[in-house]
């Protein structure tokens, strides 16, 4: 069974691959004679260290690259950080914003997520806003409330251009990197809510919802079957050539 709609396959390599490994994987992707069907839009998010060479290799084969995180200032005394403007200059087209690992491991607040959304848009990077609830919040029936707060804070008063697309990745925290993916029907329910809320908060924009959290070659189709899930943000399974190519093949 193939998936008929346009599909967004976004690969978050996190801190899984060192410089050499990132380049080897990018070159292997370039060399794999996969027919990246027109319906697939692929974006790779390499580490900051390997961003530039990887982006160049991928650009040659029509795959876009993005930042895993950006700082909200353009320049300054922010040791260890990289700005949206600097990523843009190095060839980035996209940026993840507010990934749950940034929020929960590095204490990124809703306010900072909003600042990063603003900066990404101001330099011309397309932000992928990541939202999602923890296991405790889900158990306490708070998933929708938490995600609504994240959406409202992030999308408040942003300056969009008429043709911009608003990408939102629904990534329940408890499903990320655990092998315990969200039930696709449950994910769809959250994605419908997110779609409605985002469409209201960013009137007139095309809103595209992705699911992320333990997506692999075995479950990808179950997510893409859902009417409101237009793509996936994949971590672990995107950092190995065989599983990533299998995912691509299962979508074609
Ligand atoms: P995972 O990560 O696919 O390894 O669960 C997804 C993500 O963090 O975006």
């Amino acid at each position: 069974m193939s998936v008929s709609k346009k599909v967004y396959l976004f690969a978050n390599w996190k801190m899984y691959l060192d410089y050499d490994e990132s380049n080897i994987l990018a070159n292997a992707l370039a060399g794999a004679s996969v027919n990246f069907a027109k319906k697939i839009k692929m974006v790779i998010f390499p580490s900051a260290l390997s961003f530039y060479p990887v982006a160049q290799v991928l650009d040659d084969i029509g795959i876009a690259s993005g930042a895993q995180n950006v700082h909200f200032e353009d320049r300054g005394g922010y040791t260890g950080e990289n700005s949206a403007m600097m990523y843009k200059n190095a060839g980035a087209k996209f940026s993840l914003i507010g990934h749950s690992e940034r929020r929960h491991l590095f204490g990124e607040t809703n306010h900072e997520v909003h600042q990063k959304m603003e900066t990404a848009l101001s330099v011309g990077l397309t932000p992928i806003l990541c939202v999602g609830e923890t296991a405790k919040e889900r158990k306490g029936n708070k998933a929708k409330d938490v995600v609504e707060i994240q959406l409202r804070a992030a999308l408040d008063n942003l300056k969009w251009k008429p043709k911009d697309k608003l990408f939102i990745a629904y990534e329940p925290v408890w499903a990320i990197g655990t092998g315990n993916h969200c039930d696709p029907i449950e994910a769809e329910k959250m994605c419908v809510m997110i779609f409605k809320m985002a469409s209201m908060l960013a009137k007139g924009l095309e809103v595209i919802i992705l699911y992320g959290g333990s997506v692999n070659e075995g479950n990808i189709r179950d997510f893409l079957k859902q009417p409101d899930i237009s793509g996936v943000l994949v971590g672990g399974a995107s950092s190995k050539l065989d599983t990533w190519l299998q995912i691509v093949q299962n979508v074609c």
Side-chain angles (χ1 to χ4, degrees):
M1 181 211 68
S2 72
V3 179
S4 59
K5 60 191 178 186
K6 173 150 188 159
V7 172
Y8 297 86
L9 292 184
F10 289 5
N12 177 9
W13 290 357
K14 307 195 185 190
M15 204 179 73
Y16 287 135
L17 305 172
D18 70 16
Y19 183 82
D20 286 344
E21 290 161 344
S22 302
N23 282 292
I24 289 169
L25 181 53
N27 279 294
L29 276 177
S33 44
V34 180
N35 176 16
F36 293 116
K38 277 205 184 116
K39 69 179 175 188
I40 295 180
K41 170 74 183 169
M42 190 182 292
V43 184
I44 308 284
F45 297 86
S47 68
L49 184 65
S50 49
F51 178 83
Y52 187 68
V54 165
Q56 289 203 315
V57 169
L58 296 176
D59 192 45
D60 286 346
I61 52 164
I63 298 178
S65 302
Q68 294 180 11
N69 175 43
V70 292
H71 195 272
F72 45 81
E73 295 290 352
D74 282 349
R75 313 173 176 269
Y78 300 100
T79 302
E81 293 289 309
N82 297 286
S83 73
M85 182 268 285
M86 289 169 181
Y87 266 109
K88 175 74 181 169
N89 290 348
K93 304 271 190 306
F94 293 82
S95 177
L96 301 180
I97 304 282
H99 186 279
S100 81
E101 285 155 8
R102 300 295 322 163
R103 292 178 189 262
H104 293 281
L105 301 177
F106 300 100
E108 204 166 289
T109 62
N110 277 327
H111 177 63
E112 284 162 343
V113 170
H114 176 252
Q115 288 177 300
K116 292 182 181 198
M117 289 293 289
E118 270 185 330
T119 307
L121 288 176
S122 75
V123 303
L125 285 183
T126 300
I128 318 298
L129 172 63
C130 304
V131 296
E133 80 288 353
T134 63
K136 193 167 164 224
E137 287 159 349
R138 176 159 276 254
K139 273 204 194 104
N141 256 333
K142 298 221 165 62
K144 287 193 175 158
D145 295 348
V146 168
V147 169
E148 181 175 338
I149 290 167
Q150 291 172 339
L151 288 171
R152 284 190 184 278
L155 298 176
D156 182 43
N157 214 8
L158 293 176
K159 291 190 183 67
W160 297 94
K161 296 194 188 73
K163 285 207 175 132
D164 285 344
K165 291 184 169 78
L166 169 53
F167 286 92
I168 300 179
Y170 169 56
E171 298 206 302
V173 180
W174 47 272
I176 294 180
T178 58
N180 178 24
H181 65 82
C182 183
D183 175 69
I185 310 274
E186 277 303 307
E188 165 69 8
K189 282 187 199 155
M190 287 296 288
C191 290
V192 171
M193 185 284 276
I194 291 168
F195 180 84
K196 284 189 184 148
M197 169 118 315
S199 305
M200 195 185 79
L201 293 168
K203 284 203 179 61
L205 288 189
E206 183 182 348
V207 178
I208 296 164
I209 311 288
L210 316 174
Y211 166 80
S214 297
V215 172
N216 59 35
E217 64 283 17
N219 59 32
I220 175 120
R221 285 181 183 153
D222 296 332
F223 287 104
L224 294 179
K225 259 193 247 162
Q226 308 304 322
D228 290 83
I229 300 179
S230 302
V232 287
L233 177 55
V234 186
S238 74
S239 64
K240 295 174 218 88
L241 183 67
D242 56 342
T243 46
W244 186 240
L245 290 182
Q246 193 61 56
I247 285 175
V248 174
Q249 211 168 321
N250 287 355
V251 172
C252 289

